[in-house]
Amino acid sequence: MENRSSYWQKRLINRRRVIGSGGIAALGLGAAALVGCGGDDSGSATRAPSGQTPGPSPAAAAPTYGGSLVTSVLSTVPEPIDPHRHIGSGGVSGYWPNYLDLLLEIGAGGTLKGGLAEKWELPGDGTEVLLHIRPGVKFHNKAGAGGNREFTTEDAAFSLNRTAGKLDPGSKALYLRAGDFGPFNRAQAVDAKTVKVTLDKPYSPFLSAVAFARNYMIPKEQTTGSTFADYENDKTKLIGTGPFMLTGWENDGQKVTFTKNPDYWRRDSQGG
């Protein structure tokens, strides 16, 4: 058996050979990060003075927007391309979140947070919910029903009533998440800031159902009965308030193009 000093000597020699040969994979993440740091032409990394934390580089402080992201969707194109009537995964993973928004959202740890509704109240015995709509949110500035106007409490009430199948009771079976709203009676715009939801009895999962990732808000002009008014002939007319605008639809949805929404209300997010 070789002694321990011989063993560690060989390890040191092997390590020097790896470093000398430029074997980044053998150096570990810390060394790889150091190699990736900016330095001068001699190859030495830039270091902060002892005891100081290096600040961000000018390039990091001023991000450049633009470019393209090509991604795949592990499902077929959702048909109908109607968030209130579709239950497949394709719309959730690749279409609706790009150009539509929710009233409420599920945050870290499963907690509720504001979306197009910035706050909510349950003022009484649980049969009434008040949703206060975020001001200044606009639909996409493009051709299509509802384009280039402000999102209103009427849009919110319309979308909730439609999701619950209340606007098309003869075809309620088409609205596959109507049951998630439980004893939902109706939603109504009581003023320019507030939507009042009336429940037939208290139902604690209601707000979570509103925040479910298919119950998106759409313009009240966009549908005719149970179908979308324009999308059959030109899907680029679909309008939302989301971070991207749907601007291209080729080969029956095999290629779909989204363009940044320059007026997106959430400035620190994808469309900001």
Side-chain angles (χ1 to χ4, degrees):
M1 178 182 297
E2 62 181 341
N3 60 43
R4 294 182 62 83
S5 62
S6 174
Y7 168 77
W8 286 111
Q9 185 177 22
K10 289 181 179 179
R11 294 246 338 184
L12 180 60
I13 292 171
N14 289 338
R15 177 176 171 81
R16 286 173 176 167
R17 286 176 180 169
V18 170
I19 294 174
S21 64
I24 298 299
L27 297 181
L29 293 177
L34 180 59
V35 171
C37 293
D40 58 25
D41 292 340
S42 66
S44 61
T46 303
R47 297 177 180 271
S50 178
Q52 296 184 22
T53 302
S57 67
T64 301
Y65 293 101
S68 300
L69 172 66
V70 178
T71 186
S72 62
V73 178
L74 302 179
S75 178
T76 57
V77 173
E79 287 289 353
I81 191 164
D82 180 340
H84 303 157
R85 293 175 50 210
H86 194 272
I87 202 166
S89 63
V92 173
S93 63
Y95 299 95
W96 299 316
N98 287 326
Y99 74 94
L100 296 172
D101 284 314
L102 297 162
L103 271 182
L104 300 176
E105 301 172 0
I106 303 296
T111 58
L112 283 174
K113 65 177 185 176
L116 293 180
E118 60 182 350
K119 58 183 179 178
W120 58 96
E121 299 177 74
L122 283 77
D125 62 357
T127 59
E128 183 177 290
V129 180
L130 300 180
L131 297 163
H132 300 281
I133 302 305
R134 189 179 301 277
V137 176
K138 295 190 70 174
F139 285 109
H140 297 151
N141 185 8
K142 53 178 280 191
N148 196 30
R149 70 165 178 80
E150 192 163 322
F151 175 78
T152 69
T153 53
E154 292 186 359
D155 296 303
F158 168 83
S159 296
L160 290 172
N161 287 325
R162 187 171 187 267
T163 301
K166 296 292 185 178
L167 302 184
D168 189 20
S171 303
K172 187 174 180 178
L174 294 175
Y175 300 89
L176 302 176
R177 286 168 301 284
D180 294 349
F181 281 15
F184 177 92
N185 185 294
R186 64 172 176 160
Q188 60 184 127
V190 295
D191 57 37
K193 297 181 179 180
T194 310
V195 174
K196 182 173 76 172
V197 174
T198 303
L199 305 174
D200 292 330
K201 60 181 180 180
Y203 184 63
S204 59
F206 174 72
L207 289 175
S208 294
V210 172
F212 183 66
R214 285 187 174 92
N215 296 331
Y216 290 100
M217 298 292 104
I218 64 174
K220 59 186 176 63
E221 305 96 335
Q222 197 162 70
T223 70
T224 302
S226 62
T227 63
F228 274 29
D230 294 328
Y231 90 88
E232 292 93 343
N233 297 322
D234 185 356
K235 292 181 174 62
T236 63
K237 289 185 177 180
L238 290 169
I239 299 288
T241 59
F244 298 97
M245 301 182 290
L246 199 164
T247 54
W249 189 278
E250 302 175 35
N251 299 327
D252 293 327
Q254 292 184 40
K255 179 181 178 181
V256 181
T257 303
F258 293 93
T259 303
K260 175 184 172 181
N261 174 13
D263 302 316
Y264 191 44
W265 58 273
R266 190 176 270 157
R267 299 299 299 172
D268 60 347
S269 117
Q270 291 166 288

